[in-house]
Amino acid sequence: MPELRPAIESWIARLTDLSHRLLRLMLESLDAPAGFLDDVVDPDPQIHLKLLHYPGPARASEDAGEGQGTGIHNDLGLLTLLVQDDNGGLQVAVEDGKFADVPVIPGAFVVNLGELLEVATRGYVRATLHRVVRPAPGVNRYSIPFFYNPRLDATMQPLPSPYVDGAGESSTSPTTRCSPSTATTS
Ligand SMILES: O=C(O)CCC(=O)C(=O)O
Ligand SMILES: [Fe+2]
């Protein structure tokens, strides 16, 4: 499918720009400098796009609703912009042990907040715990998550007071090496 490459590259370029704008707006909403995280994403944020297909079981007799398409997790980076098809299936944690369906809104992105955004705001912004339930028998679910992360060689300082005063996390100021597969705090 050679026509897929330019479409995907254009999608990635536009979502990279959109994610950066969203990140700056989120920082502004905390009264923090909009560009506080520019240094960790510029000039080449680590981005990742997935084209996902979740096939439902072939027959109703097979495990239809219980099995999970994707287990419970947080995304590791800053922001995830995601489109899902009309079948839904994405769920977010709303309170202890409970999950709610993320409604399908045509033309809208789901925005998941990642663990590094939680670290950057010292816990003021919480990562979005989520999962995907397996489609019903005979249903094929498709989704396209786009992950927006710091540069792999970036070192991120969290927002200082007073922007995130009252944040839930510890008062120590973690410095985070940003490679998603090895993200650690110290
Ligand atoms: O398919 C989805 O809706 C979400 C996938 C997801 O959570 C992930 O790939 O991290
Ligand atoms: Fe995810």
Side-chain angles (χ1 to χ4, degrees):
M1 252 203 289
E3 65 274 28
L4 192 58
R5 175 179 280 272
I8 293 293
E9 286 177 349
S10 156
W11 186 250
I12 287 174
R14 294 171 71 183
L15 292 195
T16 301
D17 182 52
L18 179 62
S19 301
H20 195 186
R21 283 162 52 202
L22 205 49
L23 183 64
R24 292 174 63 97
L25 287 170
M26 292 179 98
L27 289 164
E28 270 189 62
S29 75
L30 296 172
D31 286 331
F36 183 78
L37 292 173
D38 282 1
D39 280 352
V40 304
V41 290
D42 286 339
D44 55 347
Q46 195 272 335
I47 54 97
H48 184 202
L49 183 89
K50 294 200 276 194
L51 304 176
L52 296 177
H53 173 205
Y54 299 79
R59 283 178 298 279
S61 56
E62 290 176 49
D63 171 18
E66 298 299 313
Q68 288 178 348
T70 302
I72 300 169
H73 67 283
N74 292 326
D75 295 342
L76 295 176
L78 292 168
L79 292 173
T80 305
L81 305 187
L82 180 147
V83 283
Q84 57 174 343
D85 69 14
D86 293 347
N87 296 307
L90 178 63
Q91 297 186 329
V92 289
V94 286
E95 43 189 279
D96 276 356
K98 295 206 180 112
F99 280 80
D101 290 324
V102 176
V104 176
I105 303 176
F109 286 102
V110 176
V111 179
N112 283 334
L113 310 176
E115 287 189 356
L116 285 177
L117 193 62
E118 180 166 331
V119 170
T121 61
R122 286 194 279 124
Y124 188 85
V125 169
R126 307 312 297 260
T128 312
L129 192 64
H130 59 284
R131 70 181 181 187
V132 179
V133 293
R134 193 176 183 192
V139 171
N140 286 298
R141 173 183 191 265
Y142 295 91
S143 69
I144 309 180
F146 169 83
F147 302 90
Y148 183 74
N149 306 317
R151 291 189 333 270
L152 291 178
D153 63 348
T155 297
M156 187 177 73
Q157 301 293 340
L159 276 170
S161 298
Y163 308 117
V164 287
D165 274 352
E169 225 217 32
S170 77
S171 56
T172 57
S173 292
T175 296
T176 304
R177 300 276 309 148
C178 293
S179 170
S181 57
T182 57
T184 55
T185 56
S186 59

